[in-house]
Amino acid sequence: MLNKVNEAAAYILEKAGQKPELGLILGSGLGVLAEEIENPIAIPYNEIPHFPVSTVEGHKGQLVIGALSGKIVAAMQGRFHYYEGYSMQEVTFPVRVMKAMGMSHILVTNAAGGVNESFKPGDLMIIADHINYMGANPLIGPNEKEFGPRFPDMSSAYTKELVALAEGIAKEENIDVKKGVYIGFTGPTYETPAEVRMARILGGDAVGMSTVPEVIVAAHGGMKVLGISCITNMAAGILDQPLSHEEVIETTEMVKATFLSFVKRIVAEMEI
Ligand code: HPA
C-alpha cells in the first residue's frame, strides 16, 4: 500500500503547489467549511490515483487545498464510509495520504446522534475518546512498519492539548460545547432503541457511522487528532419520532454559523 499512498500524495502535492499542514475531514452537511478556504484548489477524488469515490448524498467528493485561518489545509469535502462497501483500508486511505504529504495534525468532524440525554440537536461535541463498535479495524492484516507500529497505543488517540484548546475557545466564545465518547457503528441503518441503550451503558455519548477508522489510522501514524461531532438528532428511542437523513442535514444547516466560527478559530490557534 505504501507505493499507492505515495503516488496519491505526490499527485496532490504537485496539483496543489503547496504543502498542507493540517488535514480536515468534513462530515455529512459539514462540507461548507471547505467553502471558507481561500484560493482553493479542488481536486475531485476520482482524479487522485488510487482514491475511492464518494457516493452518499450530502458529500461532494473532492479534496480542497488552500488557506484557512492562516494555515494551509487539505479538506476532504466528503469522506468514505464502511457502509458504502469500501474496505476499512479504503475508508482510511486518505488519512494515510495526508500523513504521507507531511501533515502531522488532523481535524475530523461528523454528524452524530445524541446518546447522552443531556445533549440536544444542534450541540457540538468535542470527542474525548471513542469506542470501536464496528466489528472491524483498518489495521487488520500485515503491518507496514513505515506507517506505524503493529500494536498502536490508543490511550491518547484524541490529543489532549487539542481537546483543551477547543474547550478553551468554546468557553471564550460562549459556545455551549459538550465533550464525550463517540461510539462508531457500521450503519447504514440507524440504531435500534435497544442499541442506543446499550451504547449509553457502554459509555457512549454520541453514535455515528464514521470517524473511528480514520482516527485509528491517524493514531497509527502518530498524528495529532481533534474530533468534533455535530449532534444532529437524538439517537433512536430517546424521542418519540423516527430518524432521517433529512433531519441530519437540516440540523447541520442550523448550526453552520457556530460550527464555522468555532472550527476556524481552532484552526487559527492550533500550534503545528
Ligand atoms: N446514528 C448514527 N449515525 C448518525 C446519527 C445517528 O443517530 N445521526 C447522524 N449520524
Side-chain angles (χ1 to χ4, degrees), residues 9 34 52 66 72 151 181 188 219 257 267-268:
I72 307 295
F151 301 109
V181 172
V267 172

Side-chain angles (χ1 to χ4, degrees), residues 146-169:
E146 294 81 1
F147 289 142
R150 173 72 290 189
F151 301 109
D153 177 35
M154 290 293 286
S155 49
S156 53
Y158 296 83
T159 308
K160 290 188 178 60
E161 295 74 36
L162 296 179
V163 169
L165 173 71
E167 279 187 295
I169 290 172

Side-chain angles (χ1 to χ4, degrees), residues 111-113 190-191 207-209 232-233 243 248:
Y190 289 114
E191 301 68 34
V207 63
M209 307 174 192
T232 52
N233 57 280
L243 273 51
V248 168

Side-chain angles (χ1 to χ4, degrees), residues 3 14 20 79 173 183 190 197-198 201 228 250 265 268:
N3 281 345
E14 158 89 43
R79 58 144 63 85
E173 302 268 327
I183 179 162
Y190 289 114
R197 286 194 297 275
M198 176 190 73
I201 292 165
I228 299 174
E250 274 168 27
R265 195 159 158 212

Side-chain angles (χ1 to χ4, degrees), residues 136-252:
N137 188 305
L139 304 185
I140 289 175
N143 186 56
E144 294 191 49
K145 57 181 183 305
E146 294 81 1
F147 289 142
R150 173 72 290 189
F151 301 109
D153 177 35
M154 290 293 286
S155 49
S156 53
Y158 296 83
T159 308
K160 290 188 178 60
E161 295 74 36
L162 296 179
V163 169
L165 173 71
E167 279 187 295
I169 290 172
K171 212 167 175 187
E172 280 179 33
E173 302 268 327
N174 264 319
I175 309 172
D176 176 25
V177 171
K178 308 292 197 275
K179 182 168 80 171
V181 172
Y182 177 94
I183 179 162
F185 282 64
T186 64
T189 47
Y190 289 114
E191 301 68 34
T192 64
E195 286 163 350
V196 172
R197 286 194 297 275
M198 176 190 73
R200 188 177 304 121
I201 292 165
L202 294 182
D205 294 294
V207 63
M209 307 174 192
S210 67
T211 303
V212 164
E214 292 124 321
V215 171
I216 289 173
V217 164
H220 188 220
M223 297 175 87
K224 297 211 186 300
V225 174
L226 178 63
I228 299 174
S229 291
C230 174
I231 306 298
T232 52
N233 57 280
M234 294 313 290
I238 297 178
L239 305 176
D240 188 20
Q241 63 184 52
L243 273 51
S244 73
H245 188 61
E246 288 67 39
E247 181 189 6
V248 168
I249 299 300
E250 274 168 27
T251 308
T252 56

